[in-house]
């Protein structure tokens, strides 16, 4: 966590299950989604499961046999993270809105021209309320390990294209990861700088950029 310069543990991010209480009835997909959101920003999360049963045994309280669909997806995430040497940290420099690319596209030559637009000004100088609302509806999770690995998780968003900008003095391999189906496919190699990643247009997709030079 930036404020305390310590890792953040997202404890009890709700549990997979079917209890009447809201903290104990999220789906396996949503449980795995919350793990990806945490881990891809350099944080940690804790798993729990609370399915009702005739014997009144909840795994969360007494252990036993896991019935949910999230544990194997969380294990798959762990495999990916364990293969990355180094700790993931938040990628603070990543922005969905690329100011430089916008200026080039619209032939703007100065920041003053850009700031004349109220909409663009909001993106560049969000107030506290705008920032909170934006994170609620638009937020994706991005992290990196130096300039060697970059990971972006898009959660509930269904991108057909994802804009990326990586260091220009290195080359990278790009993989598309489907967190639910637990697949990963190389889609681009030898890329750097600004480029677009073709996405499958569905939820639960991550992009992993690995340095290859």
């Amino acid at each position: 966590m930036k404020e305390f310069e310590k890792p953040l543990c997202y404890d009890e991010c709700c549990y997979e299950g079917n209890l009447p209480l809201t903290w104990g009835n999220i789906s396996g997909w949503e449980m795995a989604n919350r793990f990806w959101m945490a881990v891809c920003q350099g944080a940690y999360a804790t798993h729990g499961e609370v399915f009702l049963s005739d014997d009144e045994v909840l795994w969360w309280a007494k252990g036993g046999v896991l019935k949910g669909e999230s544990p194997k997806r969380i294990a798959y995430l762990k495999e990916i993270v364990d293969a990355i040497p180094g700790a993931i940290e938040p990628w603070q420099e990543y922005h969905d809105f690329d100011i430089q690319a916008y200026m080039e596209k619209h032939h703007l030559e100065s920041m003053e021209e850009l700031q004349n637009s109220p909409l663009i000004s909001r993106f560049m100088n969000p107030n506290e309320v705008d920032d909170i609302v934006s994170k609620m509806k638009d937020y994706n999770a991005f992290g990196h390990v130096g300039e060697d690995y970059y990971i972006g998780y898009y959660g509930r968003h269904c991108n057909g294209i994802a804009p990326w900008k990586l260091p220009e003095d290195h080359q990278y391999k790009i993989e598309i990861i489907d967190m639910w189906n637990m697949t990963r496919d190389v889609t681009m190699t030898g890329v750097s700088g600004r480029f677009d990643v073709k996405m499958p247009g569905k939820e639960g997709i991550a992009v992993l950029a690995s340095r290859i030079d």
Side-chain angles (χ1 to χ4, degrees):
M1 191 172 182
K2 185 177 180 181
E3 286 80 357
F4 303 106
E5 298 184 349
K6 299 288 184 182
L8 176 69
C9 183
Y10 188 6
D11 186 27
E12 196 173 310
C13 55
C14 292
Y15 300 136
E16 181 179 1
N18 58 5
L19 295 188
L21 302 169
T22 55
W23 55 261
N25 56 27
I26 64 172
S27 68
W29 195 99
E30 182 58 29
M31 189 77 187
N33 177 56
R34 295 184 185 195
F35 264 76
W36 274 85
M37 289 294 290
V39 170
C40 288
Q41 298 174 87
Y44 301 86
T46 59
H47 167 268
E49 182 179 288
V50 283
F51 285 100
L52 295 170
S53 61
D54 292 337
D55 60 11
E56 298 185 354
V57 172
L58 297 179
W59 183 91
W60 164 72
K62 300 181 180 179
V65 179
L66 286 167
K67 305 171 185 176
E69 298 181 283
S70 64
K72 61 183 178 182
R73 273 87 185 184
I74 295 168
Y76 179 65
L77 170 60
K78 184 177 184 298
E79 289 178 10
I80 294 171
V81 173
D82 285 349
I84 298 175
I88 297 175
E89 297 181 353
W91 187 7
Q92 304 286 4
E93 295 78 14
Y94 179 85
H95 298 284
D96 281 314
F97 179 68
D98 190 323
I99 294 173
Q100 187 62 38
Y102 184 91
M103 290 180 66
E104 292 175 5
K105 180 179 179 179
H106 295 275
H107 308 290
L108 302 176
E109 297 182 357
S110 70
M111 293 295 291
E112 184 177 352
E113 288 184 86
L114 189 67
Q115 290 171 337
N116 286 335
S117 165
L119 176 62
I120 303 306
S121 179
R122 174 196 173 279
F123 281 104
M124 296 175 64
N125 305 290
N127 59 41
E128 184 178 359
V129 174
D130 286 338
D131 192 45
I132 292 172
V133 171
S134 178
K135 287 181 178 179
M136 289 175 63
K137 69 184 183 69
D138 298 327
Y139 198 65
N140 296 317
F142 289 85
H144 72 114
V145 179
E147 293 188 346
D148 294 329
Y149 294 89
Y150 295 84
I151 190 165
Y153 177 63
Y154 291 82
R156 293 285 182 180
H157 296 273
C158 301
N159 295 54
I161 293 176
W164 273 62
K165 186 178 180 181
L166 295 173
E168 296 184 355
D169 52 349
H170 301 302
Q171 293 189 330
Y172 295 86
K173 173 181 70 176
I174 303 299
E175 295 177 84
I176 299 292
I177 301 173
D178 185 321
M179 75 88 172
W180 188 249
N181 292 321
M182 297 180 287
T183 60
R184 56 192 296 184
D185 299 293
V186 177
T187 60
M188 307 172 76
T189 56
V191 296
S192 61
R194 188 184 299 128
F195 57 93
D196 288 335
V197 179
K198 186 176 180 180
M199 302 278 278
K202 58 184 291 189
E203 296 178 322
I205 299 299
V207 175
L208 176 64
S210 308
R211 180 177 164 184
I212 57 176
D213 69 343

